[in-house]
Coordinates of all heavy atoms in Angstrom, one line a residue:
M274 N 0.8 -1.2 0.0 CA 0.0 0.0 0.0 C 0.9 1.3 0.0 O 0.6 2.2 -0.7 CB -0.9 0.0 1.2 CG -1.7 1.3 1.4 SD -3.4 0.9 1.0 CE -4.1 2.5 1.4
A275 N 1.9 1.3 0.8 CA 2.8 2.4 0.8 C 3.5 2.7 -0.5 O 3.6 3.8 -1.0 CB 3.9 2.2 1.9
T276 N 3.8 1.6 -1.3 CA 4.3 1.8 -2.6 C 3.3 2.4 -3.5 O 3.7 3.3 -4.3 CB 4.7 0.4 -3.2 OG1 5.6 -0.2 -2.3 CG2 5.4 0.5 -4.5
E277 N 2.1 2.1 -3.4 CA 1.0 2.7 -4.3 C 0.9 4.2 -4.0 O 0.9 5.0 -4.9 CB -0.3 2.1 -4.0 CG -0.5 0.7 -4.7 CD -1.9 0.2 -4.4 OE1 -2.8 1.0 -4.2 OE2 -2.0 -1.1 -4.4
I278 N 1.0 4.6 -2.7 CA 0.9 6.0 -2.3 C 2.1 6.7 -2.8 O 2.0 7.8 -3.4 CB 0.7 6.1 -0.8 CG1 -0.6 5.6 -0.4 CG2 0.9 7.6 -0.4 CD1 -0.8 5.5 1.1
N279 N 3.3 6.2 -2.7 CA 4.5 6.8 -3.2 C 4.5 7.0 -4.7 O 4.9 8.0 -5.2 CB 5.7 6.0 -2.8 CG 6.0 6.1 -1.3 OD1 5.5 7.1 -0.6 ND2 6.8 5.2 -0.8
S280 N 3.9 6.0 -5.4 CA 3.9 6.1 -6.9 C 2.9 7.2 -7.3 O 3.1 7.9 -8.3 CB 3.6 4.8 -7.5 OG 2.2 4.4 -7.2
L281 N 1.8 7.4 -6.5 CA 0.9 8.4 -6.8 C 1.5 9.8 -6.6 O 1.3 10.7 -7.3 CB -0.4 8.3 -6.0 CG -1.3 7.1 -6.4 CD1 -2.4 6.9 -5.4 CD2 -1.8 7.2 -7.8
V282 N 2.2 9.9 -5.5 CA 2.8 11.2 -5.2 C 3.9 11.6 -6.2 O 4.0 12.8 -6.5 CB 3.4 11.1 -3.7 CG1 4.2 12.4 -3.4 CG2 2.3 11.0 -2.7
T283 N 4.6 10.7 -6.7 CA 5.7 11.0 -7.6 C 5.3 11.1 -9.0 O 6.1 11.5 -9.9 CB 6.9 10.0 -7.4 OG1 6.4 8.7 -7.7 CG2 7.5 10.0 -6.0
S284 N 4.1 10.7 -9.4 CA 3.6 10.7 -10.8 C 3.4 12.2 -11.1 O 3.0 13.0 -10.3 CB 2.4 9.9 -11.0 OG 1.3 10.4 -10.3
R285 N 3.6 12.5 -12.4 CA 3.5 13.9 -12.9 C 2.2 13.9 -13.7 O 1.9 13.1 -14.6 CB 4.7 14.2 -13.7 CG 6.0 14.3 -12.9 CD 7.2 14.5 -13.8 NE 7.1 15.7 -14.6 CZ 7.7 16.9 -14.2 NH1 8.4 16.9 -13.1 NH2 7.7 17.9 -15.0
S286 N 1.4 15.0 -13.5 CA 0.2 15.2 -14.2 C 0.6 15.7 -15.6 O 1.5 16.5 -15.8 CB -0.7 16.2 -13.5 OG -1.2 15.6 -12.3
H287 N -0.2 15.3 -16.6 CA 0.0 15.7 -18.0 C -1.0 16.7 -18.3 O -2.2 16.4 -18.4 CB 0.0 14.5 -18.9 CG 0.5 14.7 -20.3 ND1 0.2 13.8 -21.3 CD2 1.3 15.6 -20.8 CE1 0.8 14.2 -22.4 NE2 1.5 15.3 -22.1
I288 N -0.6 18.0 -18.6 CA -1.6 19.1 -18.8 C -1.4 19.7 -20.2 O -0.2 19.9 -20.6 CB -1.4 20.2 -17.8 CG1 -1.6 19.6 -16.4 CG2 -2.3 21.4 -18.0 CD1 -1.3 20.5 -15.2
L289 N -2.5 19.9 -20.9 CA -2.5 20.6 -22.2 C -3.1 22.0 -22.0 O -4.2 22.1 -21.4 CB -3.4 19.8 -23.2 CG -3.6 20.5 -24.6 CD1 -2.2 20.7 -25.3 CD2 -4.5 19.7 -25.4
I290 N -2.3 23.0 -22.4 CA -2.8 24.4 -22.3 C -3.1 24.9 -23.7 O -2.3 24.7 -24.6 CB -1.7 25.3 -21.7 CG1 -1.3 24.7 -20.3 CG2 -2.3 26.7 -21.6 CD1 0.0 25.5 -19.8
V291 N -4.3 25.4 -23.9 CA -4.7 25.9 -25.2 C -5.1 27.3 -25.2 O -5.9 27.8 -24.3 CB -6.0 25.1 -25.7 CG1 -6.3 25.5 -27.2 CG2 -5.8 23.6 -25.6
D292 N -4.4 28.1 -26.0 CA -4.7 29.6 -26.0 C -4.2 30.1 -27.4 O -3.2 29.7 -27.9 CB -4.0 30.3 -24.9 CG -4.5 31.7 -24.7 OD1 -4.9 32.4 -25.6 OD2 -4.6 32.1 -23.5
N293 N -5.0 30.9 -28.0 CA -4.6 31.5 -29.3 C -3.7 32.7 -29.2 O -3.3 33.2 -30.2 CB -5.9 31.8 -30.2 CG -6.8 32.8 -29.5 OD1 -6.6 33.1 -28.3 ND2 -7.8 33.3 -30.2
D294 N -3.4 33.1 -28.0 CA -2.5 34.2 -27.7 C -1.2 33.6 -27.2 O -1.1 33.0 -26.1 CB -3.1 35.1 -26.7 CG -2.2 36.3 -26.4 OD1 -0.9 36.2 -26.3 OD2 -2.7 37.5 -26.3
A295 N -0.1 33.7 -28.0 CA 1.2 33.0 -27.7 C 1.8 33.5 -26.4 O 2.4 32.8 -25.7 CB 2.1 33.2 -28.9
V296 N 1.6 34.8 -26.1 CA 2.2 35.4 -24.9 C 1.5 34.8 -23.7 O 2.1 34.3 -22.7 CB 2.1 36.9 -24.9 CG1 2.5 37.5 -23.5 CG2 2.9 37.5 -26.0
N297 N 0.2 34.8 -23.7 CA -0.6 34.2 -22.5 C -0.2 32.7 -22.4 O -0.1 32.2 -21.3 CB -2.1 34.3 -22.8 CG -2.5 35.7 -22.6 OD1 -1.9 36.6 -22.0 ND2 -3.7 36.0 -23.1
L298 N -0.1 32.0 -23.5 CA 0.2 30.6 -23.5 C 1.6 30.4 -22.8 O 1.7 29.5 -21.9 CB 0.2 30.1 -24.9 CG 0.3 28.6 -25.1 CD1 -0.9 27.9 -24.6 CD2 0.4 28.3 -26.6
Q299 N 2.5 31.1 -23.2 CA 3.9 31.0 -22.6 C 3.9 31.3 -21.1 O 4.6 30.7 -20.4 CB 4.9 31.8 -23.4 CG 6.3 31.4 -23.1 CD 6.6 30.0 -23.4 OE1 6.4 29.5 -24.5 NE2 7.1 29.3 -22.4
I300 N 3.2 32.4 -20.7 CA 3.2 32.8 -19.3 C 2.6 31.7 -18.5 O 3.2 31.3 -17.5 CB 2.4 34.1 -19.1 CG1 3.2 35.3 -19.7 CG2 2.1 34.3 -17.6 CD1 2.4 36.6 -19.8
L301 N 1.5 31.1 -18.9 CA 0.9 30.0 -18.1 C 1.8 28.8 -18.1 O 1.9 28.2 -17.1 CB -0.5 29.7 -18.7 CG -1.4 28.7 -17.9 CD1 -1.5 29.1 -16.4 CD2 -2.7 28.6 -18.5
A302 N 2.3 28.5 -19.2 CA 3.3 27.3 -19.3 C 4.4 27.5 -18.4 O 4.9 26.6 -17.7 CB 3.7 27.1 -20.7
N303 N 5.0 28.7 -18.3 CA 6.1 29.0 -17.4 C 5.7 28.9 -16.0 O 6.5 28.3 -15.2 CB 6.7 30.4 -17.7 CG 7.4 30.5 -19.0 OD1 7.8 29.5 -19.6 ND2 7.6 31.8 -19.5
V304 N 4.6 29.4 -15.6 CA 4.1 29.3 -14.2 C 3.9 27.9 -13.8 O 4.4 27.4 -12.8 CB 2.8 30.1 -14.0 CG1 2.2 29.8 -12.7 CG2 3.1 31.6 -14.2
L305 N 3.3 27.1 -14.7 CA 3.0 25.7 -14.3 C 4.3 24.8 -14.4 O 4.3 23.8 -13.7 CB 1.9 25.1 -15.3 CG 0.5 25.7 -15.0 CD1 -0.5 25.1 -16.1 CD2 0.0 25.4 -13.6
S306 N 5.2 25.2 -15.2 CA 6.5 24.4 -15.3 C 7.3 24.4 -14.0 O 8.2 23.6 -13.8 CB 7.3 24.9 -16.4 OG 7.9 26.2 -16.1
T307 N 7.0 25.3 -13.1 CA 7.7 25.3 -11.8 C 7.1 24.2 -10.8 O 7.7 23.9 -9.8 CB 7.6 26.6 -11.0 OG1 6.2 26.9 -10.7 CG2 8.1 27.8 -11.9
E308 N 6.0 23.6 -11.3 CA 5.4 22.5 -10.5 C 5.7 21.2 -11.2 O 6.2 21.2 -12.3 CB 3.9 22.7 -10.4 CG 3.5 24.0 -9.7 CD 3.9 24.1 -8.3 OE1 3.9 23.0 -7.6 OE2 4.2 25.2 -7.8
P309 N 5.4 20.1 -10.5 CA 5.8 18.8 -11.1 C 4.7 18.3 -12.2 O 4.0 17.3 -12.0 CB 5.8 17.8 -9.9 CG 4.9 18.4 -9.0 CD 5.0 19.9 -9.2
Y310 N 4.6 19.1 -13.3 CA 3.7 18.8 -14.3 C 4.4 18.6 -15.6 O 5.4 19.3 -15.9 CB 2.6 19.9 -14.6 CG 1.8 20.3 -13.3 CD1 1.7 21.6 -12.9 CD2 1.1 19.3 -12.6 CE1 1.0 22.0 -11.8 CE2 0.4 19.7 -11.5 CZ 0.3 21.0 -11.1 OH -0.4 21.4 -10.0
D311 N 3.9 17.8 -16.5 CA 4.4 17.7 -17.9 C 3.4 18.5 -18.7 O 2.2 18.3 -18.7 CB 4.4 16.2 -18.4 CG 5.4 15.4 -17.7 OD1 6.5 15.9 -17.4 OD2 5.2 14.2 -17.5
I312 N 3.9 19.6 -19.3 CA 3.1 20.6 -20.0 C 3.2 20.5 -21.5 O 4.4 20.3 -22.0 CB 3.5 22.0 -19.6 CG1 3.5 22.2 -18.0 CG2 2.6 23.1 -20.3 CD1 2.1 22.1 -17.4
E313 N 2.1 20.5 -22.2 CA 2.1 20.6 -23.6 C 1.2 21.8 -24.0 O 0.3 22.1 -23.2 CB 1.6 19.4 -24.3 CG 2.6 18.2 -24.2 CD 2.3 17.1 -25.2 OE1 2.0 17.4 -26.4 OE2 2.4 16.0 -24.8
I314 N 1.5 22.5 -25.1 CA 0.8 23.7 -25.4 C 0.2 23.5 -26.9 O 0.8 22.8 -27.7 CB 1.6 25.0 -25.3 CG1 2.9 24.9 -26.2 CG2 2.0 25.2 -23.9 CD1 3.7 26.1 -26.3
A315 N -0.9 24.3 -27.1 CA -1.5 24.3 -28.4 C -2.0 25.7 -28.7 O -2.6 26.3 -27.8 CB -2.6 23.3 -28.5
L316 N -1.7 26.3 -29.9 CA -2.1 27.6 -30.2 C -3.5 27.7 -30.9 O -3.9 28.8 -31.2 CB -1.1 28.3 -31.2 CG 0.1 28.9 -30.5 CD1 1.3 29.2 -31.5 CD2 -0.3 30.2 -29.8
S317 N -4.1 26.6 -31.1 CA -5.4 26.6 -31.7 C -6.2 25.4 -31.2 O -5.6 24.4 -30.7 CB -5.3 26.5 -33.2 OG -4.8 25.3 -33.6
G318 N -7.5 25.4 -31.4 CA -8.3 24.3 -31.1 C -8.0 23.1 -31.9 O -8.0 21.9 -31.5
T319 N -7.7 23.3 -33.2 CA -7.4 22.2 -34.1 C -6.1 21.5 -33.6 O -6.0 20.3 -33.6 CB -7.2 22.8 -35.5 OG1 -8.4 23.5 -35.9 CG2 -6.9 21.7 -36.5
E320 N -5.1 22.3 -33.3 CA -3.8 21.7 -32.7 C -4.1 21.0 -31.4 O -3.6 19.9 -31.2 CB -2.8 22.8 -32.5 CG -1.5 22.3 -32.1 CD -0.4 23.5 -31.8 OE1 -0.7 24.6 -32.1 OE2 0.6 23.1 -31.3
A321 N -5.0 21.5 -30.6 CA -5.3 20.8 -29.3 C -6.0 19.5 -29.6 O -5.6 18.5 -29.0 CB -6.2 21.7 -28.5
L322 N -6.9 19.4 -30.6 CA -7.6 18.2 -30.9 C -6.6 17.1 -31.4 O -6.7 16.0 -31.0 CB -8.7 18.4 -31.9 CG -9.9 19.1 -31.4 CD1 -10.9 19.4 -32.5 CD2 -10.6 18.3 -30.2
K323 N -5.6 17.6 -32.2 CA -4.6 16.6 -32.7 C -3.8 16.1 -31.5 O -3.6 14.9 -31.5 CB -3.7 17.4 -33.7 CG -2.7 16.5 -34.3 CD -1.8 17.2 -35.3 CE -0.8 16.2 -35.9 NZ 0.1 16.9 -36.8
K324 N -3.4 16.9 -30.6 CA -2.7 16.5 -29.4 C -3.5 15.5 -28.6 O -3.0 14.6 -28.0 CB -2.2 17.7 -28.6 CG -1.0 18.4 -29.3 CD -0.6 19.6 -28.4 CE 0.6 20.3 -29.1 NZ 1.9 19.7 -28.9
L325 N -4.8 15.8 -28.5 CA -5.7 14.9 -27.7 C -5.8 13.5 -28.4 O -6.0 12.5 -27.7 CB -7.0 15.5 -27.5 CG -7.1 16.7 -26.5 CD1 -8.3 17.5 -26.6 CD2 -6.9 16.1 -25.1
E326 N -5.7 13.5 -29.7 CA -5.7 12.2 -30.4 C -4.4 11.4 -30.1 O -4.5 10.2 -30.1 CB -5.9 12.4 -31.9 CG -7.3 12.9 -32.2 CD -7.5 13.2 -33.7 OE1 -6.5 13.1 -34.5 OE2 -8.6 13.6 -34.1
E327 N -3.3 12.1 -29.9 CA -2.0 11.5 -29.8 C -1.6 11.1 -28.4 O -0.8 10.3 -28.2 CB -1.0 12.4 -30.4 CG -1.1 12.7 -31.9 CD -0.2 13.8 -32.4 OE1 0.4 14.5 -31.5 OE2 -0.2 14.1 -33.6
A328 N -2.3 11.7 -27.4 CA -1.8 11.5 -26.0 C -3.0 11.6 -25.1 O -4.1 12.2 -25.5 CB -0.7 12.5 -25.6
T329 N -2.8 11.2 -23.9 CA -3.8 11.3 -22.8 C -3.4 12.4 -21.9 O -2.2 12.5 -21.5 CB -4.0 10.0 -22.0 OG1 -4.3 9.0 -22.9 CG2 -5.0 10.1 -20.9
F330 N -4.3 13.3 -21.5 CA -4.0 14.4 -20.6 C -4.9 14.3 -19.4 O -6.0 13.9 -19.4 CB -4.3 15.7 -21.3 CG -3.4 16.0 -22.4 CD1 -3.7 15.6 -23.7 CD2 -2.2 16.6 -22.2 CE1 -2.8 15.8 -24.8 CE2 -1.3 16.9 -23.3 CZ -1.6 16.4 -24.6
D331 N -4.3 14.7 -18.2 CA -5.1 14.7 -17.0 C -6.0 15.9 -16.9 O -7.0 15.9 -16.3 CB -4.1 14.7 -15.8 CG -3.3 13.5 -15.8 OD1 -3.9 12.4 -15.7 OD2 -2.0 13.6 -15.8
M332 N -5.5 17.0 -17.6 CA -6.3 18.2 -17.6 C -6.0 19.0 -18.8 O -4.9 19.0 -19.3 CB -6.0 19.1 -16.4 CG -6.8 20.4 -16.3 SD -6.3 21.5 -14.9 CE -7.2 20.7 -13.6
V333 N -7.0 19.8 -19.3 CA -6.9 20.7 -20.4 C -7.3 22.1 -19.9 O -8.4 22.2 -19.3 CB -7.7 20.3 -21.6 CG1 -7.6 21.4 -22.7 CG2 -7.3 19.0 -22.2
I334 N -6.4 23.1 -20.0 CA -6.7 24.4 -19.6 C -6.9 25.2 -21.0 O -6.0 25.3 -21.7 CB -5.6 25.1 -18.8 CG1 -5.4 24.2 -17.5 CG2 -6.0 26.5 -18.4 CD1 -4.2 24.7 -16.7
S335 N -8.1 25.7 -21.2 CA -8.4 26.3 -22.5 C -8.9 27.7 -22.3 O -9.8 28.0 -21.5 CB -9.4 25.5 -23.2 OG -9.7 26.1 -24.5
D336 N -8.4 28.6 -23.2 CA -9.0 30.0 -23.3 C -10.4 29.9 -23.9 O -10.6 29.1 -24.8 CB -8.0 30.8 -24.1 CG -8.5 32.3 -24.3 OD1 -9.5 32.6 -23.8 OD2 -7.8 33.0 -25.0
L337 N -11.3 30.7 -23.5 CA -12.6 30.6 -24.1 C -12.7 31.1 -25.5 O -13.6 30.7 -26.2 CB -13.6 31.5 -23.2 CG -13.9 30.9 -21.9 CD1 -14.8 31.9 -21.1 CD2 -14.6 29.6 -22.0
K338 N -11.7 31.8 -26.0 CA -11.6 32.3 -27.4 C -11.4 31.1 -28.3 O -11.6 31.2 -29.5 CB -10.6 33.3 -27.6 CG -10.9 34.6 -26.9 CD -9.8 35.6 -27.2 CE -10.2 36.9 -26.4 NZ -9.2 38.0 -26.6
V339 N -11.1 30.0 -27.8 CA -10.9 28.8 -28.6 C -12.2 28.0 -28.6 O -12.2 26.8 -28.8 CB -9.7 27.9 -28.1 CG1 -9.3 26.8 -29.1 CG2 -8.5 28.8 -27.9
L340 N -13.3 28.6 -28.3 CA -14.6 28.0 -28.1 C -15.1 27.2 -29.3 O -15.8 26.2 -29.0 CB -15.6 29.1 -27.8 CG -16.9 28.7 -27.2 CD1 -16.7 27.9 -25.9 CD2 -17.8 29.9 -26.9
S341 N -14.7 27.4 -30.5 CA -15.2 26.7 -31.6 C -14.9 25.2 -31.5 O -15.7 24.4 -32.0 CB -14.6 27.2 -32.9 OG -13.2 27.0 -32.9
V342 N -13.9 24.8 -30.8 CA -13.6 23.4 -30.6 C -13.7 23.0 -29.1 O -13.5 21.8 -28.8 CB -12.3 22.9 -31.2 CG1 -12.3 23.0 -32.7 CG2 -11.2 23.6 -30.5
T343 N -13.9 23.9 -28.2 CA -13.9 23.6 -26.8 C -15.0 22.5 -26.5 O -14.8 21.6 -25.6 CB -14.2 24.8 -25.9 OG1 -13.1 25.7 -26.2 CG2 -14.2 24.5 -24.4
S344 N -16.2 22.6 -27.1 CA -17.2 21.6 -26.8 C -16.7 20.2 -27.2 O -17.0 19.2 -26.5 CB -18.5 21.9 -27.5 OG -18.3 21.9 -28.9
T345 N -15.9 20.1 -28.3 CA -15.4 18.8 -28.6 C -14.3 18.3 -27.6 O -14.3 17.2 -27.2 CB -14.7 18.8 -30.0 OG1 -15.7 19.3 -31.0 CG2 -14.2 17.5 -30.5
I346 N -13.5 19.3 -27.2 CA -12.5 18.9 -26.1 C -13.1 18.5 -24.9 O -12.7 17.6 -24.2 CB -11.5 20.1 -25.9 CG1 -10.7 20.4 -27.2 CG2 -10.6 19.9 -24.7 CD1 -9.9 21.7 -27.1
L347 N -14.2 19.2 -24.5 CA -14.9 18.8 -23.3 C -15.4 17.4 -23.3 O -15.5 16.8 -22.2 CB -16.2 19.8 -23.1 CG -15.9 21.1 -22.5 CD1 -17.1 22.0 -22.6 CD2 -15.5 21.0 -21.0
S348 N -15.7 16.9 -24.4 CA -16.3 15.5 -24.5 C -15.2 14.5 -24.3 O -15.5 13.3 -24.1 CB -17.0 15.3 -25.8 OG -16.1 15.3 -26.9
V349 N -13.9 14.8 -24.4 CA -12.8 13.8 -24.3 C -11.9 14.0 -23.2 O -11.1 13.2 -22.9 CB -12.0 13.8 -25.7 CG1 -12.9 13.3 -26.8 CG2 -11.4 15.1 -26.0
S350 N -11.9 15.2 -22.5 CA -11.0 15.4 -21.4 C -11.5 16.4 -20.4 O -12.3 17.3 -20.8 CB -9.7 16.0 -22.1 OG -8.7 16.2 -21.1
P351 N -11.1 16.3 -19.1 CA -11.5 17.4 -18.2 C -10.9 18.7 -18.6 O -9.7 18.8 -19.0 CB -10.9 16.9 -16.9 CG -10.3 15.6 -17.1 CD -10.2 15.3 -18.6
V352 N -11.7 19.8 -18.6 CA -11.2 21.1 -19.1 C -11.4 22.1 -18.0 O -12.5 22.2 -17.4 CB -11.9 21.5 -20.4 CG1 -11.5 22.9 -20.8 CG2 -11.7 20.5 -21.5
M353 N -10.4 23.0 -17.8 CA -10.6 24.1 -17.0 C -10.6 25.3 -17.9 O -9.7 25.6 -18.7 CB -9.4 24.3 -16.0 CG -9.4 25.6 -15.3 SD -7.8 25.9 -14.4 CE -8.4 25.4 -12.8
K354 N -11.8 26.0 -18.0 CA -11.9 27.1 -18.9 C -11.5 28.4 -18.2 O -11.8 28.6 -17.0 CB -13.4 27.3 -19.3 CG -13.9 26.1 -20.2 CD -15.3 26.3 -20.6 CE -16.2 25.7 -19.5 NZ -17.6 25.8 -19.8
T355 N -10.7 29.2 -18.9 CA -10.1 30.4 -18.3 C -10.6 31.6 -19.2 O -10.9 31.5 -20.3 CB -8.6 30.4 -18.4 OG1 -8.1 30.3 -19.7 CG2 -8.1 29.2 -17.5
A356 N -10.8 32.7 -18.5 CA -11.2 33.9 -19.2 C -10.4 35.1 -18.5 O -10.1 35.0 -17.3 CB -12.7 34.1 -19.1
G357 N -10.2 36.1 -19.3 CA -9.5 37.3 -18.8 C -10.4 38.0 -17.8 O -11.6 37.8 -17.8
Y358 N -9.7 38.8 -16.9 CA -10.5 39.5 -15.9 C -11.1 40.8 -16.5 O -12.1 41.3 -16.0 CB -9.5 39.9 -14.7 CG -9.2 38.7 -13.9 CD1 -8.0 38.0 -14.1 CD2 -10.1 38.1 -13.0 CE1 -7.6 36.9 -13.3 CE2 -9.8 37.0 -12.3 CZ -8.6 36.4 -12.5 OH -8.3 35.3 -11.7
G359 N -10.4 41.4 -17.5 CA -10.9 42.6 -18.1 C -11.9 42.4 -19.2 O -12.0 41.3 -19.7
K360 N -12.6 43.4 -19.6 CA -13.5 43.3 -20.8 C -12.7 43.6 -22.0 O -11.9 44.5 -22.0 CB -14.7 44.2 -20.6 CG -15.5 43.9 -19.5 CD -16.8 44.7 -19.5 CE -17.7 44.3 -18.3 NZ -18.9 43.8 -18.6
N361 N -13.1 42.9 -23.1 CA -12.4 43.1 -24.4 C -13.0 44.4 -25.0 O -14.2 44.7 -24.8 CB -12.7 42.0 -25.3 CG -11.9 40.7 -24.9 OD1 -10.9 40.8 -24.3 ND2 -12.4 39.6 -25.3
P362 N -12.2 45.2 -25.6 CA -12.7 46.5 -26.2 C -13.7 46.2 -27.3 O -13.8 45.2 -27.9 CB -11.5 47.2 -26.8 CG -10.3 46.2 -26.6 CD -10.8 45.1 -25.9

């Protein structure tokens, strides 16, 4: 039992970050890279779907502006939807 707990603690979560803004994508990837996560990024919903076909992710963090494919992503993976705090002009 202790071995099972240790293997769970040392396992790294695989996270996909999707954002059509390269700067926001890089900032979030940099912040999360300080934690024990394996991070992959996608600049579009299409790229995200391709990555989802190729690998399994524990979580997908997606910008709402990638909404055209977010509903498809929601059906295959847990998704944390993010939105900016300010209003768009």
Side-chain angles (χ1 to χ4, degrees):
M274 174 111 174
T276 305
E277 283 182 27
I278 292 172
N279 289 339
S280 68
L281 291 174
V282 171
T283 59
S284 67
R285 294 172 61 95
S286 295
H287 195 197
I288 299 174
L289 174 63
I290 306 169
V291 186
D292 197 320
N293 58 351
D294 183 317
V296 173
N297 289 342
L298 189 65
Q299 193 59 53
I300 290 169
L301 187 52
N303 288 346
V304 168
L305 291 176
S306 70
T307 64
E308 300 297 327
Y310 303 130
D311 290 326
I312 305 294
E313 289 196 42
I314 58 173
L316 275 166
S317 69
T319 304
E320 185 180 352
L322 289 174
K323 183 177 178 184
K324 288 180 180 277
L325 285 165
E326 289 174 0
E327 297 170 352
T329 302
F330 294 90
D331 298 302
M332 178 184 282
V333 175
I334 302 173
S335 178
D336 181 1
L337 290 175
K338 290 182 181 178
V339 189
L340 194 56
S341 61
V342 295
T343 299
S344 60
T345 304
I346 293 172
L347 278 170
S348 67
V349 296
S350 182
V352 175
M353 171 188 262
K354 293 182 272 185
T355 63
Y358 290 102
K360 294 192 182 239
N361 292 333

